[in-house]
Each structure stands twice: as C-alpha cells, then as structure tokens.
Amino acid sequence: MKKTAFSQFLIFFSFMSSTAFSLERTIDQKVDALLKQMTLEEKVGQLTQYTGDLAATGPITINPNKQSEIRNGLVGSMLNVLGTRYTRQYQELAMQSRLKIPLLFGLDVIHGYKTTFPIPLAEAASWDLDAMELSARISAAEAAASGIHWTFAPMVDIARDPRWGRVMEGAGEDTYLGSKIAFSRVRGFQGEKLGGIDSVMACAKHFAAYGAAIGGRDYNSVDMSERTLWETYLPPFKAAVDAGAATFMNSFNDLNGIPATGNSYLQRDILKGKWGFKGFVVSDWGSIGEMVSHGYAKDGKEAALAAIAAGSDMDMESNAYRNNLAQLVKEKKVPVKLVDDAVKRILRKKFELGLFDDPYRFSDPEREQKALNDPAHALAAREIAAKSIVLLKNENNLLPLSKDIKTIAFIGPMVKPLRDNHGFWAVELKDMDPGYIVSQWQGLQNKVGGATLLYAKGCDFEGDNKDGFAEAVAAAGRADAVILSIGERWNMSGEAKSRSSIHLPGVQEDLVKAIQATGKPLVVLINAGRPLIFNWTADNVPAILYTWWLGSQAGNAIADVLFGDYNPSGKLPMTFPREEGQLPIYYDHFNTGRPAPDETAVNYVSAYIDLKNSPKFPFGYGLSYTTFQYSDLKLSGTEMKRDGNIEVSLNVTNTGKVAGEEVVQLYLRDKAGSVVRPVMQLKDFRKIKLAAGETKPVKFIIDNSKLSFYNKNLEYGSEEGGFVLMIGSSSADIRLKAEFELK
Ligand code: GLC
C-alpha cells in the first residue's frame, strides 16, 4: 500500500516540478528570445532611467529628448511619473518602439501614496510588524492603482546618529528590529506574489551602510570594519532578500574608500553572489556619475565602466550608461555579457509584472478612483498612527485628559498645518483634497468639539520671533488645560537635511517655558522626523507625547491618545541623547575596559566629565496609561547545545486600571567572546494586549541563531560560554534576569 502511495507522490511531484520549471523556463526563454533581437543601443536603453518632470527628487539634468528616446526604445524606466493618465501616456510612447518593451514606473512610496502613514521611524516605534506590513500593503495598492510598478522602499539603513536627516526614513538603530521590519515591509509592498495587480516591486535601499555617514552629514563617507558591516548594517538587507525583494538600490556613500555604486564586493560578491539575489540593482539618483566627484573615476566613461562591472544594473538619472556604455562594449572594455546580465534581470521583472501581456494593466482610471478613496485606508492610517506615538512622561497621570474639560488651549506651530503632518517623502498629489489630511486642530475638534477650544500659534518652527508669546500665554490663562504642539517642519528631517544641532528649533522651548509658567496643566506634543534634544521640557513639563510625523490621520490619532481612546504603546526605536556631544550613542555598545559603574562616575572610567553618560531616553522606552508587572521567569534549562534550544517563559500582568499593550523585550549578553560583545542585544520581542488586571504568559525560544555573531575572521557562529538573559520594558528597564551556558 505504502509503495503505491509513494510512487503516486513521486509522479505528482515530478509533474509539478516540471510544470513549475517549465513556467520558470518560459519567462527565462522569453527573456533570452527578446534579448537576441535587441541592438546594443536598445540594451543600454533598458539600463537607463529618467525622472518625469512632475517632481524632482535629485539634481535635474535637462534632457528635451526623453520622449523621442522612449519612442526609439532607448529608455527602460521612468521615475516620478504618477497617475493612470501620465503613466499611460508614457507607456504609449514606449509601445511605438521597435520591440515594444514596456517602461517600468518607479516612485518613492515610502510611507503612503494618497493615504499617508506615519514616517517609517514612527511606525518602527509601534513595534507592530503586522501593522507595518498592512501600511505597506495599502500604500502598494494605492500606488499600483495609479500606474506605479515599483516603489523605492523600504529604506533599511541602520542609523545611530540623529544628526542624519534620513533617520526618519528607516527603522532606527537596532539590527534585529530593523531586520524584522525590513522583511515585513517588503512583504507588504510585494504582497504574496510579485505581479499582483495591487502590488509593487520593493526596493531595499541604500546598499550599503549609508546610515553611518561620518558626522551624520548626508552623503558623507562611511568607514567601518567589515565585522561591523556584517554584524550591524547588512542583516536588514539580507532580510529583504529573504523576503523576496525584487530590487535593490545602491547608496551615495563611499564605503571604506570605494563608492557603493562601484563596489563589486557589495553588489556582486555579497548581494548577487553569496545571497543569490536574482533581481536588479538601480543606482541612486546620479550616483554613477558622482563617482567622478568621489575621485573614483576620471570621467563619466570610467564611472560607467566601474558601475557596470560592480553590478549596478540600472542608471538613475546620471546618463553615464546612455552616453558611454555602448562605446565601452565596442571598445571591448566591457564584455557584452555584463550588459546582457543587467538587461535580463530587468526584463525578467517586466515579464513577472505581466507588462508584456498588458503594458497598461496598472493604468486603469476606474480602479485608481476606487483605491484612492477607500475609507478602510484612512482607518488603518489612524490606527497605526496611534500605535506609533510614544508616551515619554506622564506625571501624576495627567493623561489621558478628561473629555469633560470645559476649555482647552491648543498652542504651537504644529496645531493647524496640514502638510507638516506628512513629513518628508510624502507623495505630492496635484489635486489632493486638503481635507484628506486631518490637522491636529481638526482632530481635537472631532474629539471634543463641545469644549471651548482656544488657539494660538505662539511662534514659528524656526526663528527668534516671540511676538506671539503674549497671545499664547493669554490663551493658556483662560484654559483649564493646555496642549502645546511643537517640533520640526516637514522638511527639517529627510534627505539632505542633516542638522548639526538637534535641539528643538527656534524659540519653541522658550514658548514651553512661558506656557509652563502659567501653572496650567500642560501636555507637550513633539513632532519630528528624528530624536530631538529638549532637556528643559523633559525635566519640567508633566506630560510629553512624541508624535513624530503621523500622516494623513495625525489629528485623529493624537486626539485618540490624548483622551484615552487609545492607550499609547510605542517604544523608541532610537536612543535619544542628552546632547549632541554624546553622538553616536546607542544601547548595544561594548563595555570597554573601564565602564562607568553609574551615570555620575568620572574617575578613570569611560564617561564625560561635563554630562551624564546615560541617554535622555533609552532605546525601547515608552510608557503607558497603565502599568505592567513581569514575573515567573522560567528557563527550560540553564545549559544548551548548539543544536538545542532553551524555552523561556514568563508572565506579564496589567496592574493598572485600563487595558493596554506592552512590548516585552528580550535581550542577551554574551559574557565573553573571541571578540568583545555588546553589553546587550535585542534578540526577540512580543507586543501583547492585556485587559486591566489580566495576566498572560509570554514565551520565547533561545536557539543558536540568537547566540551567533561574526568572529575576527568573519566566521559566523556561536561560542561556548555564559550568557545573560534580560527581559525588559526597555533596554534600561530590565525586569527579569537569568543566566545560561552554551556547552
Ligand atoms: C533620492 C534618494 C533615494 C530615492 C531616489 C529617487 O536621491 O536618495 O532614496 O529613492 O533619489 O527619488
């Protein structure tokens, strides 16, 4: 009997694998067949990407011939062309070309298309992977309905220096959390299978280590050990490959002396070699040509040679390939097989997206209207925005505010603006209905419209003008409670927005002092794209919410938290410094030979004599309107072998009066290794919901992967010895501890 079943299985398996294989061969066969028909100029065309004229996200080079080049099959992709109307127009030009190879349309759909979600750093503060996947899923559905095939997201750069304005675009400082988020976001954008009508290609960027720019100055050099590169900066990119990311984008920076765009170690040895990446790599805007500025190529021709040799498949807006690649092949300086490999990678994606079957399948106006006005999208945006808010302080439980308050003064430069809630990298849709963005003022009116609401701007985001203070103080004087909303304007963090000072800009902290002096109950909302420094506010104001830039539903989400309809559950994905002088500062640092035993010790220890050694707010920190107790930590054993594991269990109880969510964080410390090991590293977490008084068990598994690291020879693995296990509510609030041995 068994024999028959097994032989039936074999027949079925061989049929299925041959079908799948023949399907795969079908696409590869089509690509090969098309490649054979292409001229060298048409091949180079597929490697050329131009920007549309609707929006520029980099330095523009005027080229009046774009449309004729598309008609002649000399362009493979356009970015910054959006909407079914414009994408259809451009695609019609491509369909006039000899081989009718469709264009790819790419766009920075970083945190939403029409519905704008919280900036990625804010979403990372939610520690809710499902919510982040949903956010990317909705963003993809809206973009795909508007003719977009490809988003230049997720940005997965680990970043530990908040002077760098692009921290807003990533998942913060931690490799484990950043890797989990990278995986979820790629899955969200691409859906179950690439080519779905509501999916777009993802693009893991910026490969690699762009977030480690010296001094936090954008585009600056990066210099680090290979071990740090593998240990800290590469894992989120590997997670993106594991999630099936269709494309990668390389980065502007030079890494250890070689620009990423011309770096074959990164793009060929690691990405396409070791990791087996089958998609394609697009350069960042102009980064191929910028290798001349780097001093890595003497001219555009040498830059083109370096880039194609290193594995940069598509040239975004530098024209280096268009101007030089065919000639380099003719001069036998570039083997045509390198060009063919790049072309095949790009054509394969166009087949997978179904564009050869129907080049206009993503440009359907009716579908666009439906997708862009789905009320479920706004609801999802409101929910993840509330989950992204971090409660930094709540003295005497001033929050949540009562809905019966008679008079509320809502003060500050962030109260009424619309656009600023979208933050950087929001898609600017032309005929966008401004009502689509719920301002913070509107959110308050929606929540407590029956109260008397007083408004005063107080001051601007920047500048030293305090003329508005008197009106603001007067409004506060007439109110029962004051909400003050301050921070950064939408373009004070983002690309090319590095800041040498990350203090609250302008005279905003003086405004806080003036309002605090009225003695009225005061809640401060800090809106920003990065960790800011606001020491006086943090030390003197009773209640503070970090509200980042929360997107289209900012006003409603903030009101939900202010009045307790959502109990804040966010945890900081980046360390907040006391001063810039501490930077870079991050939680998983090495211990050094002279660690400071506490935050005031200075004698012959690693510390500052003029500042506490600790951060202002630590990684993983965030309060709730309730409290949580951790208990009953149990380990299934205190020894494990590499092929074994240890089961960890504990109980978490909601010891307060309202339901809430807690992010239970598991950290490990390897007590001694063949290289020094961090004082702690996040190795797992669970976000759990508990009713008031409820207790829930939480379980983790410690296996060898959680103990492994790169040794001095870049060999990845674990080493016998002792480990400390820490379970906490933040990296600085460890509730339970235990030790175990790897034998
Ligand atoms: C920009 C950014 C990159 C973006 C690209 C296209 O310069 O560095 O993240 O995707 O150009 O807009």
Side-chain angles (χ1 to χ4, degrees):
M1 188 55 182
K2 263 192 187 157
K3 199 161 174 301
T4 318
F6 183 65
S7 55
Q8 282 171 345
F9 166 75
L10 277 182
I11 294 163
F12 173 73
F13 180 75
S14 59
F15 168 74
M16 283 309 292
S17 56
S18 66
T19 311
F21 183 64
S22 64
L23 182 67
E24 194 54 36
R25 277 179 56 235
T26 305
I27 287 187
D28 280 348
Q29 281 178 327
K30 284 181 178 176
V31 167
D32 290 341
L34 181 52
L35 189 77
K36 285 194 180 76
Q37 301 171 55
M38 295 172 76
T39 65
L40 177 57
E41 286 66 27
E42 287 166 333
K43 292 178 181 177
V44 173
Q46 286 304 302
L47 312 189
T48 298
Q49 180 185 58
Y50 290 140
T51 184
D53 306 323
L54 279 177
T57 47
I60 283 275
T61 44
I62 301 300
N63 171 1
N65 308 317
K66 283 179 191 173
Q67 301 209 0
S68 63
E69 288 183 38
I70 294 171
R71 260 198 296 274
N72 295 322
L74 301 178
V75 182
S77 170
M78 295 293 291
L79 74 147
N80 297 331
V81 172
L82 49 152
T84 51
R85 184 169 143 228
Y86 289 114
T87 52
R88 181 174 285 272
Q89 282 175 3
Y90 274 97
Q91 201 67 289
E92 282 165 353
L93 294 175
M95 288 307 109
Q96 294 170 35
S97 65
R98 186 175 74 89
L99 294 172
K100 300 185 181 350
I101 299 175
L103 291 167
L104 279 175
F105 294 110
L107 186 71
D108 292 285
V109 185
I110 308 295
H111 53 111
Y113 180 73
K114 176 178 180 185
T115 306
T116 302
F117 290 89
I119 55 171
L121 188 62
E123 284 194 348
S126 75
W127 293 55
D128 186 330
L129 299 175
D130 293 341
M132 286 183 255
E133 183 167 343
L134 177 62
S135 159
R137 185 92 292 281
I138 291 171
S139 304
E142 291 190 358
S146 295
I148 302 303
H149 306 132
W150 176 23
T151 177
F152 303 125
M155 186 270 228
V156 302
D157 300 306
I158 295 296
R160 305 177 144 196
D161 190 329
R163 290 173 295 180
W164 189 52
R166 298 195 79 163
V167 295
M168 55 71 57
E169 204 176 337
E173 75 187 49
D174 184 68
T175 300
Y176 180 83
L177 180 61
S179 300
K180 288 292 184 186
I181 291 173
F183 190 94
S184 296
R185 284 190 168 140
V186 167
R187 281 295 162 94
F189 285 124
Q190 297 191 164
E192 279 312 305
K193 182 176 178 307
L194 203 57
I197 197 65
D198 60 354
S199 296
V200 293
M201 292 198 295
C203 181
K205 70 183 187 182
H206 305 79
F207 197 56
Y210 180 31
I214 294 169
R217 206 174 77 237
D218 207 354
Y219 315 125
N220 203 3
S221 298
V222 171
D223 207 83
M224 65 174 64
S225 71
E226 276 204 58
R227 206 155 50 74
T228 298
L229 176 67
W230 281 95
E231 192 76 45
T232 304
Y233 292 87
L234 289 181
F237 288 101
K238 179 61 170 61
V241 170
D242 294 344
T247 68
F248 262 52
M249 181 184 291
N250 56 41
S251 55
F252 290 117
N253 58 285
D254 51 280
L255 172 61
N256 299 336
I258 298 176
T261 304
N263 196 312
S264 58
Y265 176 59
L266 286 176
Q267 297 180 110
R268 290 206 184 281
D269 299 351
I270 298 176
L271 181 61
K272 296 177 177 178
K274 185 177 175 67
W275 292 352
F277 176 67
K278 296 285 181 270
F280 70 86
V281 178
V282 63
S283 78
D284 203 337
W285 183 298
S287 66
I288 294 178
E290 288 175 7
M291 286 197 279
V292 178
S293 310
H294 274 288
Y296 190 69
K298 71 175 186 319
D299 55 24
K301 188 171 182 180
E302 205 171 85
L305 191 156
I308 195 74
S312 288
D313 299 306
M314 185 181 279
D315 172 6
M316 180 191 288
E317 268 293 328
S318 93
N319 299 324
Y321 283 0
R322 182 196 67 173
N323 295 339
N324 301 288
L325 201 46
Q327 189 54 32
L328 284 163
V329 171
K330 287 169 187 161
E331 293 170 3
K332 305 239 180 291
K333 290 178 181 162
V334 169
V336 70
K337 69 176 174 33
L338 287 190
V339 175
D340 288 352
D341 176 63
V343 175
K344 286 166 69 173
R345 287 171 180 269
I346 291 163
L347 292 180
R348 192 173 295 125
K349 291 304 165 203
K350 293 184 177 184
F351 276 110
E352 286 174 23
L353 288 172
L355 293 176
F356 281 95
D357 300 330
D358 174 5
Y360 307 106
R361 66 188 291 254
F362 290 86
S363 301
D364 169 352
E366 268 177 48
R367 205 162 65 84
E368 181 176 42
Q369 278 317 306
K370 189 165 174 295
L372 298 192
N373 295 292
D374 183 338
H377 296 178
L379 186 62
R382 178 170 180 166
E383 287 173 359
I384 190 162
K387 290 178 176 182
S388 304
I389 293 171
V390 182
L391 177 59
L392 295 180
K393 200 175 171 189
N394 191 19
E395 253 165 23
N396 308 318
N397 294 318
L398 172 60
L399 286 171
L401 297 174
S402 160
K403 292 178 183 173
D404 300 329
I405 288 182
K406 292 279 176 290
T407 304
I408 299 172
F410 201 177
I411 296 167
M414 196 64 185
V415 173
K416 291 211 170 172
L418 293 170
R419 170 81 183 74
D420 291 300
N421 293 295
H422 272 189
F424 206 82
W425 287 122
V427 176
E428 299 281 348
L429 295 185
K430 286 297 153 220
D431 46 7
M432 162 81 105
D433 156 20
Y436 203 79
I437 304 174
V438 181
S439 71
Q440 298 182 20
W441 178 251
Q442 186 59 54
L444 187 68
Q445 288 180 312
N446 295 343
K447 186 66 72 178
V448 286
T452 300
L453 303 180
L454 307 174
Y455 166 72
K457 185 176 179 181
C459 65
D460 205 338
F461 292 103
E462 292 172 290
D464 53 11
N465 185 324
K466 298 186 180 182
D467 296 350
F469 277 31
E471 179 197 17
V473 168
R478 297 201 304 275
D480 301 314
V482 184
I483 306 164
L484 186 51
S485 191
I486 54 177
E488 287 187 319
R489 180 184 297 109
W490 70 272
N491 59 358
M492 296 176 81
S493 285
E495 183 177 356
K497 306 298 178 198
S498 296
R499 292 175 59 196
S500 62
S501 160
I502 58 170
H503 283 256
L504 266 173
V507 293
Q508 296 181 90
E509 195 144 51
D510 294 334
L511 179 63
V512 177
K513 291 175 182 172
I515 301 300
Q516 174 73 352
T518 66
K520 295 291 177 142
L522 174 60
V523 181
V524 171
L525 312 179
I526 300 181
N527 312 268
R530 68 175 92 213
L532 292 180
I533 293 171
F534 45 95
N535 294 316
W536 190 91
T537 299
D539 296 340
N540 294 281
V541 168
I544 303 170
L545 290 165
Y546 217 74
T547 49
W548 311 102
W549 288 321
L550 292 173
S552 310
Q553 287 290 318
N556 284 330
I558 289 170
D560 288 342
V561 169
L562 280 171
F563 292 90
D565 288 336
Y566 181 78
N567 181 355
S569 61
K571 300 279 185 179
L572 297 178
M574 273 188 88
T575 300
F576 279 49
R578 295 175 185 276
E579 292 298 344
E580 292 90 353
Q582 290 180 294
L583 296 176
I585 183 171
Y586 43 91
Y587 83 95
D588 59 339
H589 57 81
F590 297 138
N591 203 31
T592 78
R594 294 192 173 185
D598 58 49
E599 57 181 20
T600 54
V602 289
N603 249 351
Y604 297 108
V605 292
S606 182
Y608 300 98
I609 60 170
D610 59 349
L611 187 67
K612 285 182 178 177
N613 224 16
S614 58
K616 192 66 184 173
F617 296 102
F619 173 80
Y621 172 86
L623 302 176
S624 168
Y625 293 154
T626 186
T627 50
F628 299 98
Q629 184 182 55
Y630 291 45
S631 61
D632 309 317
L633 177 61
K634 291 188 180 65
L635 274 61
S636 60
T638 53
E639 291 182 4
M640 70 174 263
K641 297 250 186 269
R642 281 194 181 77
D643 60 357
N645 61 47
I646 290 178
E647 290 174 14
V648 179
S649 66
L650 67 139
N651 288 326
V652 179
T653 303
N654 177 343
T655 46
K657 298 187 175 61
V658 294
E661 293 159 280
E662 172 69 328
V663 179
V664 182
Q665 300 157 45
L666 182 148
Y667 296 91
L668 291 183
R669 177 178 190 172
D670 188 342
K671 291 164 79 171
S674 61
V675 290
V676 294
R677 307 292 303 125
V679 294
M680 64 192 316
Q681 283 182 301
L682 180 73
K683 290 295 182 183
D684 210 341
F685 63 89
R686 296 281 184 279
K687 184 162 191 175
I688 58 171
K689 198 172 283 188
L690 291 169
E694 183 182 12
T695 296
K696 269 186 184 170
V698 176
K699 296 184 187 311
F700 297 104
I701 297 285
I702 305 288
D703 62 15
N704 199 48
S705 69
K706 293 191 187 309
L707 313 182
S708 297
F709 60 95
Y710 291 93
N711 67 16
K712 65 179 184 303
N713 303 320
L714 282 186
E715 293 147 346
Y716 189 69
S718 56
E719 295 174 359
E720 287 81 3
F723 288 82
V724 181
L725 174 142
M726 296 160 269
I727 309 268
S729 184
S730 91
S731 59
D733 180 4
I734 298 304
R735 305 289 182 83
L736 301 169
K737 267 190 177 181
E739 298 206 6
F740 63 90
E741 291 274 323
L742 176 64
K743 292 280 190 198

